[in-house]
């Protein structure tokens, strides 16, 4: 079923022209993930307004060239997943990028969408001249295994680093990948 999913980059022109529609579609994915318990910087209840404001900020960053926004879409055009590559880094880290907000809608999981997004973010990083990637995720979650299967290496864990959407503490595992 994953063959019906395509991953593509949202370019600066599209981000500008289609900001409202993109923000709406991406907000659907973010809200679904948070309601499903994903610790991705947001707490319950996540309002649509807050999700839209977040995505409008991401789209602005994509327009400025500070980040790469990738989306996974069904053949019908529905966005079911996303990931970002934050390319704007300090002067002493021009070779590095952060991978952020890897999100897959619950009804599109276990279909290879996340693996497609990770492969696409690796290529986007190579295209941007990045050789070191970093990310963090909830310790013990499904994403940890996904990242390890995709060649990411554990750098370490920090107990009680973040909160789950319901307010419970969770540990965070930091990963790196050398391209």
């Amino acid at each position: 079923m994953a063959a019906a999913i395509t991953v593509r980059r949202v370019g600066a022109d599209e981000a500008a022209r289609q900001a409202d529609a993109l923000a709406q579609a991406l907000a659907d994915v973010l809200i679904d993930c948070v309601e499903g318990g994903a610790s991705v910087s947001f707490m319950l209840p996540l309002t649509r307004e807050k999700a839209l404001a977040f995505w409008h900020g991401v789209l602005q960053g994509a327009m400025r060239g500070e980040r790469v926004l990738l989306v996974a879409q069904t053949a019908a055009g529905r966005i079911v997943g996303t990931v970002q590559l934050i390319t704007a880094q300090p002067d002493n880290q021009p070779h590095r990028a952060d991978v952020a907000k890897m999100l897959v809608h619950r009804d599109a999981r276990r279909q290879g969408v996340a693996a497609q997004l990770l492969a696409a973010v690796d290529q986007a990083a190579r295209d941007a001249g990045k050789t070191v990637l970093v990310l963090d995720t909830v310790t013990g979650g499904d994403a940890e295994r996904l990242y390890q299967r995709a060649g990411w290496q554990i750098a370490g864990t920090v107990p009680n680093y973040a909160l789950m959407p319901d307010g419970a503490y969770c540990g965070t595992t930091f990963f790196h990948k050398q391209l």
Side-chain angles (χ1 to χ4, degrees):
M1 189 174 278
I5 301 294
T6 57
V7 175
R8 65 180 185 81
R9 181 179 182 158
V10 174
D13 289 343
E14 180 185 4
R17 286 189 330 270
Q18 300 292 324
D20 290 335
L22 286 165
Q24 291 287 345
L26 290 162
D28 289 343
V29 176
L30 176 59
I31 290 167
D32 176 75
C33 290
V34 172
E35 288 178 351
S39 177
V40 290
S41 305
F42 295 92
M43 303 300 290
L44 288 171
L46 174 55
T47 65
R48 185 154 207 71
E49 294 74 24
K50 189 168 193 169
L52 288 170
F54 170 75
W55 286 112
H56 278 289
V58 168
L59 291 163
Q60 290 290 323
M63 286 185 269
R64 289 188 301 268
E66 298 168 349
R67 64 184 64 223
V68 174
L69 174 61
L70 300 170
V71 295
Q73 290 182 287
T74 65
R78 178 178 170 235
I79 294 176
V80 295
T82 185
V83 66
Q84 297 169 51
L85 182 69
I86 302 171
T87 56
Q89 298 295 333
D91 287 348
N92 70 337
Q93 299 169 42
H95 59 292
R96 183 177 74 77
D98 295 343
V99 174
K101 297 298 179 279
M102 167 73 137
L103 306 169
V104 176
H105 196 285
R106 286 180 286 177
D107 66 14
R109 292 184 185 164
R110 309 259 184 242
Q111 298 175 37
V113 176
Q116 284 182 264
L117 285 164
L118 284 177
V121 85
D122 282 359
Q123 188 57 54
R126 285 185 191 94
D127 293 347
K130 303 299 182 176
T131 57
V132 177
L133 302 179
V134 295
L135 63 77
D136 65 84
T137 192
V138 172
T139 302
D142 290 340
E144 262 192 341
R145 290 181 294 283
L146 168 74
Y147 296 133
Q148 288 177 311
R149 284 192 309 269
W152 288 80
Q153 302 296 310
I154 294 176
T157 60
V158 179
N160 301 320
Y161 184 80
L163 298 175
M164 298 299 287
D166 65 2
Y169 285 100
C170 65
T172 297
T173 301
F174 291 84
F175 284 85
H176 67 94
K177 187 173 190 178
Q178 308 293 314
L179 296 178

